[in-house]
Amino acid sequence: MEIRFQNLGHEHWKAEVMLAPACEGENLPKCCPELDKAAPWLAVAPALRDFKGKSEELALLHGHPELPVPRVLAVGLGPRERVSVDGLRKAIAHAVQHCHKKGFASILLPEPALASLPGGRERLIEECVCAALLALHRFSALKKTSADTPDPQWLALGFDGKSTPDEAHAAARRGEHAGEAVMLARTLANMPANLLSPEDMAGKARELAEEYGFRCTVLDENDLAKENMGALLAVGQGSVRPSRLVILEHAPKEHAGDNPLILVGKGVTFDSGGLSIKPASNMHQMKGDMAGAAIVLATVAALAREGAPRRVVGLMACAENMPGGRATRPGDIVKAANGDSIEILNTDAEGRLALCDALCYAQKHWTPVAIVDIATLTGACAVALGGEVAGLFSNDEALAERLRAAGGVCGENNWRLPLWQPYMEHLKSEVADIANIGPREGGAINAALFLRHFVADAIPWAHLDIAGVDWTDKNTPLCPRGTSAFGARTLLELARGGTQ
Ligand code: BES
Ligand code: MN
Ligand code: ZN
């Protein structure tokens, strides 16, 4: 769906349907003078008689000679004192899905209707655009073309001035880029593992680098061996598909010499558990174990696309965790890129192995202003926090606060968990410098502590564990069943807002 602007004044607004988001118990919002003039008629319009403005409520009105559009879709927001950006996002998505079902080809969102809602004008514009795009997104690449009604062709933001302020334009474009980044990450993470290997991830990265103009370098298994990345290599050695480290870089001219923000993503294209094999039920979900890497790729692509004034490096640690004849055995000891030996007591704790080498690489080749890694890392995090809030770990207060705020404004909430130092005890190995698992209890913390072991204290670092939030079992207005790419918007927001 294309995002358009109609900024010649309300007399010129045109679309098959206009959305009118309304608070519970209130009249329809002031969208344009015509709608206000039509208010007495609306008050008695049969379609609105039962409309209370409760959240999830919709009512479609047809035909009034005063109105610039043939239909108005009243969209309930719930009571004004409880209206939030999260609620507005869902309501807009719900309404756009309804328009799709009805077969409307074009939708108008009048910007004046947002004026009385909390959140700030530009934020609301960005969120509405992003929500409208996500509402229509489906993973349909592998299905025969369905008889589904086509998507609406465009959504226009209606401005009632003689011109659209640049800030409103920019906000809408941010929403569009954010929505498209999430959709890209979802498409990749929903792709089955037989169709998306570590090499395919690298191929996709190269393609996007070409399209949006950022740098992309791929390290193959020989390169990884030269970099002494024994941990990442260990994850992939039971698979016939070789591992890759994909290095992305967005470095606009004026910032080419800056120290970069570095984003690191877990890119396990399938996690069978390896020889410590997983139970059969739900194993298919492990095709999404590369969501972190997909999110990093989508974020860097979005930043390059909008020419963000900041140097950002993305590292995608890609491998397939399989129990083949060359697979790592429990008890094997490997060497990470920093020279530390790791005793692999459970081959299913592979994400931290892939990530630790990428973290070493980040510190060897750059002086990062900050490193943020994102990974579907532990079932324990899902148990601790459930399906709606991600785990956040950090060695730096300011970075943690920025990530909390970034997640909060875009509907991807995270909650800080402690890097509880005494638990480091549990990662001690009899025979190596560190073991790759601790006890089941505190599993998300143990994994985060393992990662921190590979990061210098002086470098602001944060880790987002998205294992619990990356998969949704039911369709919601903003996300169909499958992978959610939770965290893509957070990283984009962080990189846009500026880390130091
Ligand atoms: N990819 C999984 C974590 C995961 C679980 C993601 C469920 C999404 C949904 C990770 O590699 C894993 O297997 N972790 C183990 C660690 C354990 C062996 C210490 C886990 O959480 O059970
Ligand atoms: Mn695993
Ligand atoms: Zn995994």
Side-chain angles (χ1 to χ4, degrees), residues 177-458:
H177 293 158
E180 285 174 3
V182 173
M183 293 191 276
L184 169 63
R186 283 182 187 170
T187 300
L188 286 172
N190 276 321
M191 196 62 87
N194 64 326
L195 302 181
L196 191 77
S197 65
E199 271 181 295
D200 296 330
M201 294 277 284
K204 191 70 200 174
R206 282 208 187 91
E207 211 177 277
L208 289 162
E210 185 75 24
E211 186 175 350
Y212 294 121
F214 57 90
R215 233 177 285 159
C216 173
T217 314
V218 179
L219 303 193
D220 66 15
E221 282 191 307
N222 290 328
D223 303 324
L224 297 178
K226 275 187 217 140
E227 288 283 343
N228 302 313
M229 294 195 169
L232 173 58
L233 284 167
V235 176
Q237 72 188 38
S239 166
V240 294
R241 294 140 172 251
S243 305
R244 295 285 183 266
L245 182 79
V246 185
I247 303 148
L248 318 167
E249 183 178 3
H250 164 64
K253 257 199 213 92
E254 320 77 71
H255 297 275
D258 295 359
N259 287 330
L261 163 67
I262 303 193
L263 307 175
V264 179
K266 170 177 174 181
V268 174
T269 55
F270 190 73
D271 180 13
S272 69
L275 286 171
S276 314
I277 199 159
K278 287 184 178 295
S281 63
N282 293 330
M283 201 204 270
H284 70 282
Q285 292 182 3
M286 289 301 119
K287 68 178 181 176
D289 212 22
M290 32 55 74
I295 286 166
V296 167
L297 175 57
T299 303
V300 174
L303 291 167
R305 186 179 176 193
E306 60 195 29
R310 151 177 318 282
R311 184 169 177 217
V312 179
V313 167
L315 300 176
M316 302 157 63
C318 301
E320 186 182 46
N321 188 21
M322 296 288 276
R326 277 163 31 97
T328 301
R329 294 148 290 248
D332 282 2
I333 296 177
V334 299
K335 219 170 219 196
N338 70 343
D340 281 2
S341 59
I342 303 170
E343 184 182 16
I344 301 179
L345 290 171
N346 188 319
T347 63
D348 198 11
E350 86 297 341
R352 61 198 78 179
L353 297 173
L355 289 171
C356 74
D357 271 346
L359 292 171
C360 293
Y361 190 86
Q363 296 164 91
K364 179 176 162 196
H365 293 269
W366 296 274
T367 306
V369 289
I371 303 178
V372 180
D373 76 69
I374 182 162
T376 45
L377 204 64
T378 67
C381 191
V383 172
L385 296 175
E388 289 188 24
V389 48
L392 169 68
F393 297 85
S394 183
N395 65 0
D396 186 89
E397 299 305 310
L399 179 60
E401 171 51 26
R402 275 201 292 276
L403 279 160
R404 188 203 59 76
V409 292
C410 57
E412 296 177 343
N413 293 297
N414 59 62
W415 193 264
R416 187 134 174 224
L417 296 172
L419 288 158
W420 193 254
Q421 189 57 30
Y423 293 175
M424 253 334 257
E425 213 36 48
H426 302 146
L427 294 178
K428 279 202 174 144
S429 161
E430 291 293 319
V431 286
D433 297 324
I434 191 168
N436 82 323
I437 55 163
R440 246 166 58 88
E441 295 78 13
I445 298 176
N446 299 334
L449 284 171
F450 180 91
L451 295 178
R452 195 193 52 186
H453 174 83
F454 293 88
V455 181
D457 285 339

